[in-house]
Amino acid sequence: MSLRTTTSVDYVEDVSPGSGALPPRAWYASSDAASLSLNGSWRFRLSATADAEDDSFAAEGYDAGNWAEVRVPGHWVLQGHGSPIYTNHLYPFPVDPPHVPTENPTGDHLRVFDLPDEWPADGGAVLRFDGVESCARVWLNGTDIGEFKGSRLPHEFAVGHLLKPTGNVLAVRVHQWSAGSYLEDQDQWWLPGIFRDVTLLHRPAGSALDFFVHASYDHVSGNGTLRVDSDVDGRVTVPALDIDVATGESVTVSVQPWTAETPKLYDGVLATEGERIPLRIGFRTVVLEDGLIKANGKPLLFKGVNRHEWHPERGRALDLETMREDVLLMKRHNINAVRTSHYPPHPAFLDLCDEYGLWVIDECDLETHGFVEQAWRDNPVDDDRWTPALIDRASRMVERDKNHPSVVIWSLGNEAGTGRGLTAMAEWIRGRDGSRLIHYEGDINCRDTDMYSRMYAAHDEVEQIGRDLDGGTHRRRGLPFILCEYGHAMGNGPGGIADYQRIFEAYDRLQGGFIWEWIDHGLKDARFGFAYGGDFGEELHDGNFVCDGLIFPDRKPSPGLVEFKKVIEPVRIEGDGSDGTVRVTNAYDFADLSDLAFEWSYQVDGKTVEAGSLSVPALAPGESAEVKLPTPPSGDGRGAETQWTVRALLAEDTAWGRKDHEVAWAQLPVSPRALPSVVASDRPSASERLIYVGPASFDVRTGALKTIGRLNVTDLRLDVWRAPTDNDEGASWQDDIRWASLWRKYGLHRMQHRLDGVELSDDALTVRTRVAPAAWEVGLRTVYRWTSDGTRLKLTVSVAPEGDWTVPLPRLGIRFGLAQADQVKWFGGGPGEAYPDTKSASMLGLWHASVDELQTPYVRPQENGARADVRWAELGGLRIEGDPEFWFSARRWTNEQLDAAQHLTDLTPTDTVWVNLDHGQQGIGSQSCGPGALPQYQLRAAPAEFSFVFSDLRD
Ligand code: GAL
């Protein structure tokens, strides 16, 4: 046992995966072998370079009393030592593989531990690291036991011979940068540290080492076949199936299969001479057959998300409860699949996927995206020197996760270009596990993969692929298609996912996709609310591109998740409300509808007047039934708007949802509303300073509205500007169609309002204007026509575009300020926000919220919070009725202030509430990394006329 006197750090820049570790194997928790968690508080010392300190700290007796402390699992940059860095694909260091900068933050971690009294004296022990970023060297009791790379992968060391009953010194030196960093260029924060568990495992004599559970399902016979291969012989028992066989022997029995919808797991035990290991066995068979990905004989339709591991305070150091929260949220939002972008997750996450039921694409910890900047020259995946590291990564993933029924596809990595190294990984995986399929999006010709996978392909291209009209190699054309990423959920959006879903469902070859991505990687920060790239003074960064999830950093669902839930709901409820029947279709792949209860309700002007249960047969997957609705309650006879709402709810509590949790719904209109009508009977009058029309007063010179009844109204005028969304801004590589910059170029944020005339007639005040930007010929001739029946005030706005409009309008409507508004009631779409192409989940009803509750807290402030199809709204004493329906939003700041804000903390409420009533809104799309709003959702400048009827509720 000798310490080296010189500190060599050559291993840091060595392309090899490391030395000293044990071969990879299955990750499991033994029932009886002892284990000791080494998580907790560790002593910590940060150095600026890899070799600033020698290794004397690893020696027994070293006094680290004056070191700082960090929490393990954790990232030191999130615990007050240094700062996180966010880049999408650019390496934050010079690209000169395998070299890394001399400035290489290096964290020495030290932990002294005793063995518990009951720790057996015999047998061996293994020290397991589940995740360390990016490279570590480990000493136990002064002995150098090895070094490793592969941040999101487990590494184990045999340490039994080094352990003592008390005073064991575990020293771990972690380098932020290493050759391994070149393989870990995922779009995420760079977060060094020991961020997953550290565990000491007792290994009794005769313990299992590694084992492989093969549990297949024959959908024709209904039988499952189980064989557990084990490095150490033993017996396998599964009491519920009366199975008691030797390892290596197959047994076939009748079973219930595992699927993501019906995640039946059988508890079993693998007993070797030295230990007992609990097994959770799911029988299922995944194949590529007839050009389709099939499980248990049926083609799958992935309704998936890409999940990074994220916690707003702890980064990628996730606890079990956070992982469970992710899984529960997914299940409750009808999601059936996860791609573990872009690395194997904490192993406990896969246990949860097995248990609750999610199809998993398990992705290897590999991305070399930054090489794209040099035309992929020197890409490690095409350089044989790196191949051992690549195979090491593939094998650590497969060996660790091979016993999970939820894992159906192995993914070689993400955005790593192409090369022999990837082929070598695929070959290794196929040789080891022929029972799963292989994915890699970068393999455009599907040389190594079992499916054609793309990211962000536009709707029309996906449809072409569905119709087999794409090009590509013969091999590729015979393969199924998935969108491993689509629906970029950055900020407000994603738009257009319902349109994708319709296409997926229309063509067998299209087997669904995975929204990018699950969670915003915002970091909780007192300065900003949530911080994103650039907030830590990074030299290079990609701003808020790291906040592109369906849930906010604090895991509150964003409107995008609510929309996705509706779009992918597993029951389709359709019909024409007036004919008294509804058609219910089971859109599950495996489950029948027996877990669901159906309810109908009947609304008159948004108010539910009757409700009851609806009896729907336990339809098999794909089946439909026509179900009779009850006789409609009689309406109120005054032209009320009426509709049915039919909902599918969980009939009982399940593992992931409570009884009555809503799974699917639809509304079937019966009779339309009567539009508000105001007979222009009031004759306008004028005084020296004011014009009066019914309850309202106007400035005599400008025609500007001043009061309605006793309410002051400020600055009512046409508005076309919205604080651009991330999708309006578009991705930097989509220059030709980045709407926000074109909008700014054409001055839509600085429209001038020229007054052309204020005219009084017998029954109306007419204000003529031209709304146009400086420097351009385009404009909107805008006429405001005010009339009244004496109590109510009607505004009709007519807009006629002039000039050559080449861009859509962000919005088209009016805005005004109201003092002291707080609670809002409306009859229209809700409860959440909606835009033309994000409106599936907008449910017609009577809703209320405070102005603050109407805001959607996108991490980077932007247009948000519009409610769709609003018939009427009330706030601050004002009632507004629309003809036709309108988009409603209200906030305590102007759209200009919203636009200027970079973080939520930049928004300071004022006393005035700014209200927008829009006739049109531009669609959202997903152009922050994908296609823009489809043409049918674009708000083209065109002649328009729309009206609002105002009344002062307090009169
Ligand atoms: C993809 C990539 C993801 C993420 C996304 C944009 O190209 O695979 O990791 O960067 O784009 O948010």
Side-chain angles (χ1 to χ4, degrees):
M1 191 196 340
S2 71
L3 282 180
R4 288 163 313 139
T5 44
T6 57
T7 305
S8 161
V9 291
D10 293 351
Y11 62 95
V12 172
E13 295 187 328
D14 187 340
V15 297
S16 108
S19 63
L22 290 164
R25 62 183 185 126
W27 193 96
Y28 63 89
S30 183
S31 334
D32 42 16
S35 72
L36 176 66
S37 167
L38 297 173
N39 294 346
S41 183
W42 289 49
R43 286 290 178 180
F44 178 76
R45 170 181 68 187
L46 183 63
S47 309
T49 62
D51 61 358
E53 300 283 352
D54 64 20
D55 49 17
S56 56
F57 79 106
E60 293 175 74
Y62 182 88
D63 181 7
N66 60 349
W67 287 22
E69 292 188 17
V70 290
R71 196 180 51 244
V72 170
H75 307 278
W76 70 71
V77 290
L78 301 186
Q79 299 183 61
H81 306 278
S83 299
I85 300 171
Y86 166 57
T87 57
N88 167 11
H89 75 275
L90 296 178
Y91 288 103
F93 47 78
V95 179
D96 182 22
H99 302 293
V100 294
T102 302
E103 296 300 314
N104 186 357
T106 292
D108 289 332
H109 296 67
L110 204 56
R111 160 99 199 221
V112 179
F113 63 92
D114 299 339
L115 295 177
D117 292 344
E118 59 285 4
W119 194 269
D122 62 335
V126 161
L127 178 63
R128 183 171 70 201
F129 294 89
D130 284 319
V132 181
E133 179 171 332
S134 81
C135 167
R137 176 157 216 122
V138 187
W139 296 262
L140 183 62
N141 293 333
T143 300
D144 177 357
I145 59 173
E147 30 79 25
F148 62 91
K149 306 181 188 86
S151 299
R152 274 69 64 163
L153 292 162
H155 294 86
E156 290 183 321
F157 296 88
V159 294
H161 59 295
L162 298 173
L163 288 172
K164 317 183 288 186
T166 57
N168 292 288
V169 178
L170 177 56
V172 186
R173 170 163 285 175
V174 182
H175 307 283
Q176 171 152 20
W177 309 120
S178 68
S181 305
Y182 284 97
L183 305 181
E184 296 175 2
D185 191 27
Q186 292 94 342
D187 174 6
Q188 60 179 352
W189 295 96
W190 298 89
L191 295 177
I194 305 175
F195 71 97
R196 286 187 190 154
D197 312 276
V198 183
T199 317
L200 185 68
L201 304 161
H202 180 239
R203 298 287 68 216
S207 58
L209 297 181
D210 190 19
F211 61 93
F212 197 160
V213 176
H214 302 276
S216 59
Y217 179 71
D218 178 346
H219 65 278
V220 179
S221 64
N223 288 336
T225 298
L226 177 68
R227 192 187 80 229
V228 179
D229 293 334
S230 173
D231 285 5
V232 172
D233 291 344
R235 286 203 80 75
V236 177
T237 47
V238 186
L241 296 173
D242 278 335
I243 290 176
D244 183 348
V245 284
T247 52
E249 267 178 35
S250 291
V251 54
T252 299
V253 290
S254 167
V255 297
Q256 280 174 259
W258 188 97
T259 74
E261 294 165 10
T262 56
K264 174 68 189 171
L265 291 175
Y266 289 94
D267 286 323
V269 173
L270 163 61
T272 62
E273 191 197 327
E275 72 177 328
R276 292 160 50 82
I277 298 166
L279 305 177
R280 305 209 79 192
I281 302 162
F283 292 88
R284 52 116 193 89
T285 292
V286 186
V287 291
L288 180 67
E289 189 182 84
D290 309 325
L292 296 174
I293 302 166
K294 292 187 184 173
N296 304 340
K298 289 191 178 171
L300 297 180
L301 184 60
F302 294 119
K303 301 167 173 176
V305 288
N306 281 279
R307 173 181 179 271
H308 265 288
E309 295 185 306
W310 190 248
H311 185 281
E313 286 158 281
R314 298 193 296 274
R316 289 188 286 273
L318 257 57
D319 59 302
L320 184 62
E321 278 327 297
T322 304
M323 296 182 224
R324 190 187 307 274
E325 207 182 326
D326 278 349
V327 171
L328 291 177
L329 273 169
M330 289 177 192
K331 291 294 288 185
R332 291 174 189 157
H333 289 86
N334 295 333
I335 288 164
N336 74 359
V338 190
R339 172 175 176 235
T340 69
S341 55
H342 296 303
Y343 41 81
H346 189 288
F349 178 76
L350 297 176
D351 289 338
L352 296 168
C353 294
D354 294 344
E355 182 182 333
Y356 292 98
L358 287 165
W359 305 110
V360 176
I361 299 185
D362 195 356
E363 188 150 276
C364 197
D365 191 1
L366 172 64
E367 173 157 343
T368 63
H369 200 172
F371 286 88
V372 71
E373 295 295 330
Q374 52 195 63
W376 296 103
R377 258 188 324 282
D378 297 332
N379 185 0
V381 308
D382 202 21
D383 176 339
D384 294 341
R385 287 172 300 177
W386 292 83
T387 304
L390 302 180
I391 294 194
D392 180 75
R393 284 170 186 250
S395 64
R396 285 185 189 282
M397 168 179 73
V398 171
E399 299 299 4
R400 191 195 76 166
D401 296 342
K402 60 185 180 282
N403 293 327
H404 289 282
S406 55
V407 175
V408 288
I409 296 171
W410 300 117
S411 176
L412 304 179
N414 184 59
E415 296 188 312
T418 53
R420 298 189 296 280
L422 289 159
T423 303
M425 290 170 84
E427 282 168 359
W428 186 93
I429 294 174
R430 279 193 212 287
R432 177 60 176 147
D433 178 19
S435 75
R436 292 179 172 94
L437 306 181
I438 293 185
H439 168 268
Y440 174 59
E441 183 266 350
D443 183 6
I444 198 72
N445 290 322
C446 305
R447 176 198 154 122
D448 299 318
T449 60
D450 296 309
M451 62 208 72
Y452 177 27
S453 170
R454 291 277 301 283
M455 43 176 80
Y456 309 110
H459 300 77
D460 52 358
E461 188 186 359
V462 174
E463 180 143 28
Q464 289 293 95
I465 296 169
R467 298 170 64 200
D468 287 330
L469 293 178
D470 57 319
T473 55
H474 180 68
R475 170 167 170 77
R476 186 177 95 185
R477 298 202 50 224
L479 292 178
F481 178 80
I482 64 165
L483 271 175
C484 68
E485 294 178 26
Y486 80 112
H488 197 250
M490 186 178 181
N492 186 333
I497 54 175
D499 307 85
Y500 274 113
Q501 192 64 25
R502 272 194 287 278
I503 299 170
F504 294 157
E505 288 175 10
Y507 302 97
D508 291 344
R509 186 185 182 194
L510 308 179
Q511 295 201 266
F514 297 77
I515 295 284
W516 186 268
E517 66 176 308
W518 175 240
I519 185 168
D520 285 343
H521 312 209
L523 277 166
K524 194 157 188 244
D525 187 298
R527 298 167 299 165
F528 303 119
F530 292 111
Y532 50 77
D535 289 340
F536 300 94
E538 299 108 293
E539 181 177 284
L540 282 178
H541 68 83
D542 287 288
N544 67 319
F545 202 60
V546 78
C547 292
D548 50 3
L550 292 174
I551 59 177
F552 293 108
D554 57 7
R555 292 194 152 66
K556 294 212 177 87
S558 87
L561 181 59
V562 180
E563 171 80 2
F564 191 45
K565 175 188 177 186
K566 179 75 180 86
V567 163
I568 58 174
E569 60 189 15
V571 180
R572 270 199 303 276
I573 303 166
E574 299 151 312
D576 167 1
S578 53
D579 80 353
T581 55
V582 60
R583 187 178 176 78
V584 177
T585 305
N586 178 353
Y588 283 114
D589 293 324
F590 300 92
D592 67 21
L593 296 189
S594 55
D595 285 351
L596 301 180
F598 287 77
E599 277 188 7
W600 63 269
S601 59
Y602 192 80
Q603 286 84 35
V604 175
D605 283 338
K607 260 196 214 81
T608 295
V609 292
E610 257 185 76
S613 60
L614 193 68
S615 157
V616 174
L619 301 169
E623 275 183 8
S624 299
E626 301 279 340
V627 183
K628 194 104 198 81
L629 291 164
T631 316
S634 50
D636 72 354
R638 285 186 296 107
E641 178 166 10
T642 56
Q643 64 176 10
W644 298 99
T645 299
V646 177
R647 306 191 305 149
L649 313 172
L650 286 182
E652 301 295 338
D653 289 356
T654 68
W656 51 265
R658 292 230 163 260
K659 178 176 184 319
D660 291 340
H661 163 85
E662 187 177 270
V663 172
W665 59 272
Q667 292 183 312
L668 317 175
V670 180
S671 55
R673 73 177 178 134
L675 293 171
S677 84
V678 171
V679 180
S681 54
D682 190 78
R683 194 186 171 88
S685 61
S687 68
E688 196 182 320
R689 290 176 38 228
L690 294 174
I691 294 172
Y692 301 96
V693 182
S697 67
F698 300 81
D699 184 292
V700 83
R701 207 172 41 83
T702 63
L705 176 67
K706 297 185 77 87
T707 57
I708 302 175
R710 284 171 294 164
L711 299 169
N712 289 321
V713 180
T714 347
D715 214 6
L716 184 149
R717 62 182 204 199
L718 192 83
D719 196 5
V720 295
W721 184 241
R722 74 180 183 195
T725 64
D726 292 317
N727 288 312
D728 293 336
E729 296 287 355
S732 53
W733 57 90
Q734 297 179 327
D735 274 341
D736 48 333
I737 37 168
R738 296 175 69 195
W739 293 131
S741 56
L742 290 172
W743 289 341
R744 289 199 175 93
K745 173 177 167 190
Y746 290 113
L748 297 188
H749 60 315
R750 50 172 173 78
M751 296 293 264
Q752 298 182 8
H753 297 246
R754 188 184 77 204
L755 182 62
D756 289 342
V758 178
E759 298 160 13
L760 272 190
S761 69
D762 282 356
D763 62 354
L765 162 66
T766 304
V767 181
R768 298 185 190 282
T769 67
R770 186 173 189 276
V771 182
W776 299 100
E777 60 152 5
V778 292
L780 301 167
R781 284 252 172 231
T782 304
V783 178
Y784 307 83
R785 186 162 191 275
W786 299 94
T787 56
S788 175
D789 58 6
T791 49
R792 300 190 302 159
L793 174 71
K794 179 171 180 179
L795 165 64
T796 300
V797 183
S798 321
V799 180
E802 292 179 341
D804 184 15
W805 281 91
T806 53
V807 290
L809 298 172
R811 65 165 7 116
L812 180 70
I814 57 162
R815 74 110 202 255
F816 54 88
L818 270 188
Q820 289 162 357
D822 182 31
Q823 296 300 314
V824 183
K825 267 171 63 179
W826 74 99
F827 176 32
E833 74 177 28
Y835 289 83
D837 53 350
T838 62
K839 179 168 153 356
S840 311
S842 175
M843 186 187 243
L844 181 62
L846 278 178
W847 307 104
H848 59 89
S850 66
V851 169
D852 291 339
E853 286 163 353
L854 289 177
Q855 316 307 309
T856 306
Y858 293 115
V859 172
R860 186 191 71 82
Q862 53 196 275
E863 165 66 27
N864 72 84
R867 284 358 188 227
D869 304 320
V870 176
R871 279 76 168 141
W872 58 257
E874 293 175 358
L875 80 166
L878 184 68
R879 179 176 167 89
I880 307 150
E881 292 164 79
D883 173 10
E885 292 78 35
F886 58 96
W887 304 88
F888 174 85
S889 27
R891 43 185 132 257
R892 298 190 186 281
W893 33 79
T894 61
N895 291 328
E896 290 72 17
Q897 286 164 328
L898 184 62
D899 186 7
Q902 292 303 310
H903 293 94
L904 286 165
T905 44
D906 295 338
L907 292 169
T908 354
T910 60
D911 285 343
T912 305
V913 168
W914 290 97
V915 180
N916 274 90
L917 310 177
D918 290 310
H919 179 59
Q921 274 274 359
Q922 162 76 356
I924 297 293
S926 63
Q927 207 163 6
S928 52
C929 187
L934 290 170
Q936 63 269 35
Y937 304 119
Q938 295 194 15
L939 181 61
R940 291 286 159 192
E945 187 172 287
F946 45 96
S947 304
F948 304 102
V949 174
F950 300 99
S951 35
D952 179 353
L953 285 168
R954 292 174 301 188
D955 273 347

